[in-house]
Amino acid sequence: MKAILIKEFGAPENLTIEESPTPKPGPDEVLIDVHAIGVNFIDLLVIAGQYQNLPALPFVPGVEVAGVVAEAGEGVTTCKPGDRVMAQLQRGGYAEQAIASEQYCYPLPEGMDFARAAAMGMVYLTAHFALVGRARLADSETVLVSGAAGGVGLASVQLARALGATVLAGVGSPDKAEVARANGAHHIIDLSGEDLKDSLRDQVRKATGGGVDIVIDPVGGDVFDASLRALASGGRIVVVGFTSGRIPNLKTNYVLLKNISVTGLHMNDYFQRDPAGVRRVQEELFRLATDEKIDPQVMQAYPMERFAEALNVIRDRRVMGKIVLTTGHESV
């Protein structure tokens, strides 16, 4: 099988694609013939050697795939050879075949293609756990999503709208604003202004008549600082990531004065502590997709050989929706 290997940390161009042995599933594992691979910001951190948990070199990156079960190991009960599935992995997704634990391998709804399935995994789980698990979204609340045209951002916009929230989409360009509106945003918050500290808060006040109840922030940096000031009294902000490159500091006196809650979301913790809960959420997300209340957006599908080009779209913050890689397997 072909696989994309990290032999040394650095830029996406440092990776190599080469023939590798087909892995063998162990107990409670499945081997998947991969049709589509989800490309994520976290992959860039892993490739650069900047992620907190890294295996020994060389290894295959990639945390989500969609395809067909080729072989099931001993004890597997949730899926069988021939099943169309989406799976979450620790690593190994950038390959024509991948091993997944059965507890993170989910049969696909009828009619969902592999590209949309690969686009649905990590970002929608992150959005759901951020909105429901961490922010405790209630009926008719207002939600500001920063980086709203990216993978997690767009998933959060769609899901917040589906759950009954009024959605404010923070974006940095007109084309991203158009994408956010098309995916359910009620209001657009322009993040491109020079005086973001005041301009973001002023735009939020105009849209809501006050402050926003919840902020979902995958961006960090100046956007986090400004979003904090736009929260209503008793508001909640969920830290999802730092795509801006700067990890912000928090002035806790402001948190105290406005009764603000600041919380973080690290999906790996949920995978390790509560796999049954992750499965319940994934099944709920599939139901929402089947009911056409959410719709994974594939910006572009690149052949596996063009992995560096695909990763650089995310690195350069040009992504709107989700980027996927495709393998040579025929679609079914």
Side-chain angles (χ1 to χ4, degrees), residues 6 19 29 46 57 68 93 98 110 158 166 170 187 191 199 224 248 255 257 271:
I6 302 175
E19 290 293 329
E29 294 181 337
V46 170
L57 296 169
V68 178
E110 185 176 353
Q158 289 187 3
T166 297
H187 305 281
L191 303 181
S199 69
F224 173 89
V255 174
L257 291 171
F271 284 126

Side-chain angles (χ1 to χ4, degrees), residues 2 38 40 49 76 81 90-91 97 108 110-111 113 123 139 152 163 206 221 241 249 311 332:
K2 290 181 180 178
N40 295 281
V76 172
Q90 288 294 315
R91 67 187 66 91
Q97 293 178 300
L108 296 182
E110 185 176 353
D113 62 60
V123 293
D139 289 342
V152 171
L163 296 177
K206 183 177 180 180
N249 294 317
L311 284 160
V332 295

Side-chain angles (χ1 to χ4, degrees), residues 68-83:
V68 178
V69 175
E71 184 178 350
E74 181 181 354
V76 172
T77 60
T78 60
C79 52
K80 63 185 183 302
D83 283 353

Side-chain angles (χ1 to χ4, degrees), residues 18-317:
E18 54 190 71
E19 290 293 329
S20 296
T22 297
K24 188 75 176 174
D28 304 317
E29 294 181 337
V30 296
L31 175 67
I32 299 171
D33 286 334
V34 175
H35 289 243
I37 303 159
V39 182
N40 295 281
F41 181 77
I42 190 177
D43 299 337
L44 288 171
L45 298 179
V46 170
I47 290 164
Q50 297 172 349
Y51 196 62
Q52 55 263 42
N53 298 314
L54 295 167
L57 296 169
F59 66 93
V60 178
V63 296
E64 60 188 352
V65 299
V68 178
V69 175
E71 184 178 350
E74 181 181 354
V76 172
T77 60
T78 60
C79 52
K80 63 185 183 302
D83 283 353
R84 302 169 69 254
V85 296
M86 180 264 280
Q88 304 294 331
L89 321 171
Q90 288 294 315
R91 67 187 66 91
Y94 281 31
E96 291 180 327
Q97 293 178 300
I99 295 291
S101 168
E102 72 156 332
Q103 63 184 351
Y104 301 123
C105 189
Y106 315 101
L108 296 182
E110 185 176 353
M112 178 172 285
D113 62 60
F114 292 121
R116 289 177 67 242
M120 186 175 185
M122 189 65 74
V123 293
Y124 281 88
L125 284 171
T126 299
H128 192 287
F129 276 96
L131 286 162
V132 179
R134 307 303 292 165
R136 307 177 308 281
L137 175 65
D139 289 342
S140 302
E141 287 195 304
T142 54
V143 177
L144 169 63
V145 181
S146 64
V152 171
L154 206 59
S156 297
V157 168
Q158 289 187 3
L159 187 58
R161 176 73 182 246
L163 296 177
T166 297
V167 184
L168 290 69
V171 297
S173 64
D175 56 343
K176 292 182 178 180
E178 184 177 344
V179 168
R181 284 195 188 94
N183 283 272
H186 297 89
H187 305 281
I188 298 298
I189 305 300
D190 182 7
L191 303 181
S192 65
E194 292 183 3
D195 187 14
L196 188 61
K197 187 176 180 181
D198 289 329
S199 69
L200 189 151
R201 182 182 60 181
D202 292 344
Q203 291 176 79
V204 167
R205 285 178 174 174
K206 183 177 180 180
T208 64
V212 71
D213 297 309
I214 293 170
V215 174
I216 306 299
D217 180 33
V219 178
D222 294 344
V223 171
F224 173 89
D225 296 338
S227 297
L228 194 68
R229 300 178 76 238
L231 280 169
S233 179
R236 294 91 76 195
I237 184 167
V238 184
V239 178
V240 176
F242 313 103
T243 60
S244 69
R246 180 173 74 83
I247 299 175
N249 294 317
L250 177 63
K251 293 183 177 180
T252 54
N253 63 319
Y254 192 77
V255 174
L256 181 151
L257 291 171
K258 294 191 69 175
N259 289 311
I260 289 169
S261 297
V262 180
T263 186
L265 172 66
H266 184 47
M267 275 305 304
N268 276 352
D269 182 55
Y270 283 94
F271 284 126
Q272 293 167 10
R273 289 190 300 107
D274 190 15
V278 174
R279 178 172 287 274
R280 285 194 299 271
V281 170
Q282 185 59 66
E283 290 171 351
E284 179 183 345
L285 291 168
F286 280 151
R287 286 193 294 271
L288 288 169
T290 299
D291 293 342
E292 299 183 347
K293 293 183 177 179
I294 59 175
D295 183 16
Q297 298 294 298
V298 178
M299 177 183 176
Q300 189 167 348
Y302 291 84
M304 188 174 165
E305 293 77 9
R306 294 170 60 190
F307 62 86
E309 184 179 349
L311 284 160
N312 286 336
V313 172
I314 296 178
R315 181 200 63 188
D316 298 339
R317 300 181 70 178

